[in-house]
Amino acid sequence: MTEEYIGTIQEIIFHNKENGYTVAVFATESEEQDEFTIVGNIPQAAAGRAYAIHGEFTEHPFYGEQFKVTGYEERMPSSQDGIREFLASGALKGIGPKTAAAMVARFGENTLKIIEEEPERLTEISGIGPKTAAKISDAFLQQREFSAVSLQLQQYGISAQYAFKLYQTYGTDTVSVLEENPYRIIDDVYGVGFIKADRIAEKMGVERDDPFRIRSGINFTLNHFAGDGHTYLPQEELCEKAASLLELSREEIGQQLEIMAFAGDVRIETVNGLPAVYLMQYYLAEQNVSKNLRLLRSAQLKPITGGEVDTLIRRTEAATGINLSENQKDAVRQSLENGVCVITGGPGTGKTTIINAIIEILEESELKTAIAAPTGRAAKRITETSGHPASTIHRLLEYSYAEDEDTLRFGRTADNPLEYDAVIIDEASMIDLQLMNALTSAIRPGTRFLLVGDDDQLPSVGAGNVLRDIISSEYIFCMKLTEIFRQAAESMIVVNAHRINQGEYPDCNVKDKDFFLLRRSSEREMLDTILDLCVRRLPAFFPECSPIRDIQVLTPVRKGTLGCLQMNGRLQEMLNPPDPEKAEKQHADRIFREGDKVMQIRNNYDLTWRDSQEFTEGEGVFNGDVGFIQSIDNDAGEMTVIFDETRYVTYSFGQLEELELAYAITVHKSQGSEFPIVVMPVSWFPPVLATRNLLYTGVTRGKTAVVLVGSENKLCAMVDNNRISQRYSGLGYRLCQLLRLENEMM
């Protein structure tokens, strides 16, 4: 039964500034209920603030009776004591207890009216200048606005937590924006999905067959599957999925789909013989990448000087001490003679050796060469192994974030192309369609473009199947490396990676080697063994390795006993326990502590970083970047994280939802990385995850040692499961069409 009480917050027991969740002592004006504990989302809660609260009493098994707040309305105090207490609570920045007392002494019961209507009079108080007066007034007006907006949104079932997010996005226009089209919040407000927006829309009276609702459902479905890597959906499948989501007929979906296609919101065309529906951004990207590859493939190249290519290869071998196999020589030759070339192969097949030889020849010919990779970690590894400076693709393209448009911009485009004679990209399997579009657009025809990667690894996190599509189309010359060289063959990590990739079971626990399987039967035993390995056994066996920095737990899943979420809590507890000397910050269901290993879990293009080594600054931290917490300042509400050993990024506490602990991460998040020691559970996992290429990707992340923990039967089952998740991607189809047309014209 819903009850209402009017009163004042006496004491804050707990308050999360990010989502507003509050536990507090509430004193009422009621004779029946004097004082009790309240819990709920009250974003700007502070001691001394008055509210009319709605909700009901519940019994907590540990804390006893609590009043669960389901709605509230802030009440401005009218008495001098109430106003003084409200201002002294810290509700308005710039006002402390002394200033609050001085203001009430000067203006009495008119204090709040003065703040709202005559803020210039605040300068009559010692210590308050015109700027501070304006800030106090703005903060008060914003607070009143939010209270009014939050109250209006309560009628639509929108909690204070979501009301705060909406207000931060739309300000005073929040209610009018929602009433016009509640589905806008799916795109505009991080963390709000279609189901939440649909519930709000229903309470606002939006009909089930409203065109806004159907189009939003179609867009949501396409975006949802783009998140799984698809650039389009077959029309029949889209209509079926959207009809199920919206609980409408496929005919109703089809009618709105035609309208969206006519308006240019989506594109419908035939791919591989079936009608396919694209979001326009992916359709245009596929078209553009196809066109760009055609131009790069057919353009006249700047000549290599100093002799025939074979002569240059022999000269490079003599100068560097590199001995190339015939396959490697052919890869170098083809890369120099073709406008676009792909070199693919597993670990130990000499990809880095080929890259180094190509760079030597290009530099000898005074051809300016750029080397890049999709992630900072991969670029750093290229620099270390090749001796040549490499950057991320984003930095190569001089990216920037356009806040007014909430989009990523590149300084290097078709209108301002890269000024290089050759561009070499490593870890090309990680490149998604949108990044490939930006990259190929910025490369001038006549530039040599070389893609190097391992197409047997997991595909890109973003939409598209770029490397595999290019290889399968046979439109671009591709060299597949299979020979494992002698030094690499001494590593069982390399040998077993190739065995796994060929469908053969790995050879584990060879004496004095680097690939191990610790057999455990239950998930609890596996977890205990993994914890013991990370904390005690591996640091003792590899004393030069840091248990936090150099040992990485990889797992196929996020949830469950062997999921990264649970393992992170246990590993943090054991490797970086609470310490009076270490500041910490609780955020939602996790604790961040100085010294923790953390990962950025979504792209943030406008986060500023400063490089302590190069004395430079830039913007952008990307999904999958791993760093370490250097400091937490609870007074300032900030946390500083170091990425790549030299890049310092400061997060406000409001941005901590972008970070997770990273003692254990998913195999998908590990792409492009290399770790000294990898520990990985092998148990029952969903078949879509317990695959050969996921195991292969995880194993190839290890450099010094790989330790699998679990069942040999489950390990063999993963090798046997060669299921490759189908991605709907049209790039390969388009390149095949180009090849067919060019062959017909010959």
Side-chain angles (χ1 to χ4, degrees):
M1 179 179 174
T2 300
E3 300 179 61
E4 177 179 329
Y5 294 93
I6 298 173
T8 306
I9 291 179
Q10 296 296 299
E11 178 188 354
I12 295 289
I13 298 171
F14 174 78
H15 179 68
N16 187 321
K17 291 183 179 179
E18 286 77 52
N19 60 23
Y21 183 75
T22 302
V23 181
V25 177
F26 191 76
T28 76
E29 300 172 0
S30 166
E31 294 181 1
E32 297 178 1
Q33 285 283 354
D34 180 25
E35 192 174 274
F36 50 86
T37 301
I38 62 172
V39 296
N41 292 102
I42 309 175
Q44 297 172 323
R49 300 183 73 160
Y51 297 92
I53 59 173
H54 314 273
E56 60 183 358
F57 283 98
T58 60
E59 190 71 23
H60 190 280
F62 184 76
Y63 296 109
E65 188 179 63
Q66 299 176 332
F67 187 84
K68 186 177 180 181
V69 178
T70 56
Y72 70 89
E73 178 184 354
E74 185 167 9
R75 299 290 178 88
M76 287 295 108
S78 56
S79 68
Q80 291 192 29
D81 287 344
I83 293 170
R84 185 186 306 107
E85 195 173 352
F86 165 70
L87 294 175
S89 71
L92 303 180
K93 286 186 178 181
I95 302 179
K98 288 184 179 179
T99 305
M103 291 171 69
V104 174
R106 180 79 176 95
F107 303 119
E109 294 177 357
N110 292 321
T111 301
L112 298 182
K113 185 178 180 182
I114 295 293
I115 292 173
E116 183 174 5
E117 299 177 4
E118 301 177 79
E120 65 278 0
R121 290 194 58 191
L122 296 179
T123 58
E124 297 173 21
I125 307 299
S126 176
I128 298 182
K131 288 185 178 179
T132 301
K135 286 181 180 179
I136 292 171
S137 180
D138 287 344
F140 182 70
L141 289 172
Q142 189 177 61
Q143 189 181 101
R144 295 290 299 274
E145 285 174 358
F146 171 68
S147 295
V149 167
S150 181
L151 185 63
Q152 286 180 279
L153 294 180
Q154 284 178 31
Q155 64 182 308
Y156 301 128
I158 300 175
S159 69
Q161 176 185 354
Y162 280 105
F164 191 55
K165 283 188 173 185
L166 293 169
Y167 180 74
Q168 286 179 312
T169 304
Y170 303 119
T172 55
D173 296 328
T174 299
V175 176
S176 61
V177 165
L178 288 183
E179 289 176 343
E180 180 184 349
N181 178 13
Y183 296 99
R184 271 189 59 180
I185 64 177
I186 299 170
D187 297 324
D188 296 345
V189 182
Y190 179 71
V192 178
F194 179 83
I195 302 301
K196 180 69 179 177
D198 203 35
R199 286 179 187 151
I200 294 170
E202 183 180 12
K203 291 188 177 182
M204 299 182 83
V206 175
E207 298 292 335
R208 298 179 66 77
D209 61 353
D210 184 283
F212 272 138
R213 180 173 186 266
I214 298 175
R215 292 172 202 169
S216 179
I218 291 171
N219 269 319
F220 173 79
T221 303
L222 287 170
N223 276 301
H224 174 77
F225 279 88
D228 288 336
H230 306 285
T231 62
Y232 72 84
L233 273 182
Q235 186 170 342
E236 282 294 310
E237 186 173 342
L238 170 63
C239 290
E240 181 182 338
K241 301 283 188 188
S244 175
L245 173 73
L246 299 168
E247 297 181 345
L248 295 170
S249 70
R250 293 169 66 171
E251 289 71 24
E252 289 172 296
I253 305 299
Q255 289 171 7
Q256 289 301 321
L257 187 59
E258 289 181 12
I259 293 171
M260 293 175 72
F262 184 76
D265 297 326
V266 298
R267 174 79 180 194
I268 303 175
E269 67 166 39
T270 300
V271 176
N272 293 320
L274 293 173
V277 184
Y278 283 86
L279 290 168
M280 285 302 295
Q281 68 195 76
Y282 296 116
Y283 167 74
L284 294 174
E286 280 190 359
Q287 290 281 82
N288 207 41
V289 170
S290 300
K291 179 199 74 174
N292 293 336
L293 289 175
R294 177 178 60 83
L295 293 173
L296 290 168
R297 178 178 179 265
S298 59
Q300 183 71 36
L301 301 175
K302 195 170 181 179
I304 301 290
T305 60
E308 295 293 326
V309 171
D310 287 341
T311 303
L312 295 173
I313 291 174
R314 287 194 296 272
R315 191 184 303 162
T316 299
E317 286 181 309
T320 61
I322 297 172
N323 292 313
L324 299 174
S325 69
E326 289 306 313
N327 267 356
Q328 288 179 313
K329 290 177 182 177
D330 192 29
V332 172
R333 189 181 301 111
Q334 296 293 345
S335 300
L336 296 173
E337 293 177 351
N338 284 279
V340 186
C341 188
V342 173
I343 297 174
T344 181
T349 56
K351 296 190 297 293
T352 300
T353 301
I354 291 169
I355 291 173
N356 290 342
I358 292 169
I359 294 170
E360 291 292 331
I361 293 172
L362 291 171
E363 287 186 346
E364 188 177 335
S365 297
E366 298 185 350
L367 297 178
K368 193 176 178 184
T369 305
I371 313 163
T375 68
R377 289 165 292 159
K380 183 179 179 181
R381 195 171 72 250
I382 297 167
T383 301
E384 291 171 348
T385 56
S386 72
H388 299 278
S391 74
T392 64
I393 298 173
H394 284 85
R395 291 188 72 179
L396 177 69
L397 299 179
E398 300 174 9
Y399 71 91
S400 62
Y401 180 71
E403 190 170 355
D404 56 331
E405 298 178 11
D406 192 27
T407 57
L408 183 65
R409 289 178 178 168
F410 291 105
R412 294 295 178 173
T413 62
D415 296 326
N416 183 32
L418 293 165
E419 297 173 357
Y420 291 97
D421 301 305
V423 174
I424 300 172
I425 305 296
D426 199 7
E427 295 288 356
S429 64
M430 296 179 65
I431 301 177
D432 63 29
L433 179 64
Q434 295 287 32
L435 186 56
M436 189 66 166
N437 182 27
L439 178 62
T440 57
S441 296
I443 300 176
R444 295 174 300 188
T447 302
R448 290 173 172 83
F449 182 38
L450 173 61
L451 293 165
V452 182
D454 185 347
D455 64 315
D456 291 314
Q457 288 189 28
L458 294 170
S460 62
V461 174
N465 209 8
V466 173
L467 185 62
R468 287 181 183 170
D469 279 355
I470 290 174
I471 293 171
S472 65
S473 73
E474 299 183 356
Y475 184 67
I476 303 299
F477 178 84
C478 175
M479 170 65 75
K480 177 81 172 181
L481 302 172
T482 57
E483 180 184 354
I484 304 175
F485 290 92
R486 184 183 60 80
Q487 187 175 359
E490 295 175 2
S491 166
M492 291 307 297
I493 297 175
V494 173
V495 171
N496 282 331
H498 286 270
R499 289 177 66 89
I500 290 167
N501 199 31
Q502 293 161 13
E504 300 173 12
Y505 303 141
D507 194 357
C508 307
N509 303 330
V510 176
K511 187 179 179 181
D512 298 327
K513 293 294 183 180
D514 52 12
F515 193 100
F516 308 94
L517 171 64
L518 303 186
R519 294 170 176 83
R520 301 291 185 272
S521 55
S522 73
E523 289 195 344
R524 178 56 55 187
E525 287 179 310
M526 294 177 202
L527 176 60
D528 289 343
T529 299
I530 289 170
L531 296 175
D532 190 41
L533 283 167
C534 294
V535 175
R536 185 181 64 86
R537 293 175 63 179
L538 286 170
F541 196 78
F542 297 99
E544 72 281 3
C545 287
S546 159
I548 294 179
R549 291 182 173 270
D550 298 327
I551 300 174
Q552 184 62 59
V553 177
L554 302 182
T555 175
V557 294
R558 285 179 55 79
K559 297 180 179 179
T561 302
L562 298 175
C564 59
L565 297 181
Q566 184 166 326
M567 286 199 285
N568 269 320
R570 296 292 305 278
L571 287 165
Q572 180 195 46
E573 180 184 311
M574 300 174 78
L575 292 173
N576 192 29
D579 185 330
E581 299 298 317
K582 292 182 178 180
E584 60 182 50
K585 166 65 180 172
Q586 178 158 3
H587 174 78
D589 58 349
R590 69 198 70 148
I591 293 174
F592 293 112
R593 186 174 295 125
E594 290 176 349
D596 276 337
K597 182 193 289 188
V598 293
M599 173 181 281
Q600 177 80 11
I601 59 172
R602 70 185 183 98
N603 291 336
N604 187 329
Y605 301 107
D606 60 343
L607 259 180
T608 301
W609 52 261
R610 48 187 170 78
D611 193 304
S612 61
Q613 193 170 60
E614 298 180 3
F615 303 103
T616 56
E617 290 189 353
E619 292 180 334
V621 183
F622 301 101
N623 186 359
D625 284 354
V626 173
F628 300 88
I629 298 176
Q630 185 213 31
S631 63
I632 297 174
D633 188 334
N634 282 294
D635 292 330
E638 293 179 343
M639 185 166 85
T640 300
V641 178
I642 308 174
F643 294 96
D644 301 324
E645 298 182 1
T646 59
R647 284 193 305 140
Y648 288 71
V649 179
T650 299
Y651 293 81
S652 70
F653 284 171
Q655 296 171 309
L656 296 188
E657 63 186 12
E658 299 185 13
L659 291 171
E660 284 186 352
L661 294 175
Y663 298 96
I665 62 176
T666 63
V667 177
H668 283 83
K669 291 285 190 183
S670 73
Q671 288 174 266
S673 301
E674 188 176 77
F675 309 102
I677 302 172
V678 162
V679 180
M680 184 173 169
V682 182
S683 180
W684 182 90
F685 298 113
V688 71
L689 293 175
T691 62
R692 182 187 299 174
N693 73 329
L694 183 138
L695 177 64
Y696 173 78
T697 301
V699 164
T700 54
R701 300 307 90 199
K703 184 179 180 182
T704 302
V706 169
V707 185
L708 305 180
V709 180
S711 160
E712 189 167 11
N713 288 338
K714 295 297 188 293
L715 173 61
C716 295
M718 288 186 79
V719 175
D720 292 338
N721 181 11
N722 196 27
R723 174 177 178 171
I724 304 294
S725 296
Q726 181 187 10
R727 284 195 171 191
Y728 293 120
S729 170
L731 179 61
Y733 169 78
R734 297 180 197 285
L735 294 175
C736 285
Q737 292 294 96
L738 279 178
L739 183 61
R740 181 180 61 80
L741 288 172
E742 290 181 10
N743 288 338
E744 288 176 357
M745 294 172 61
M746 290 177 63

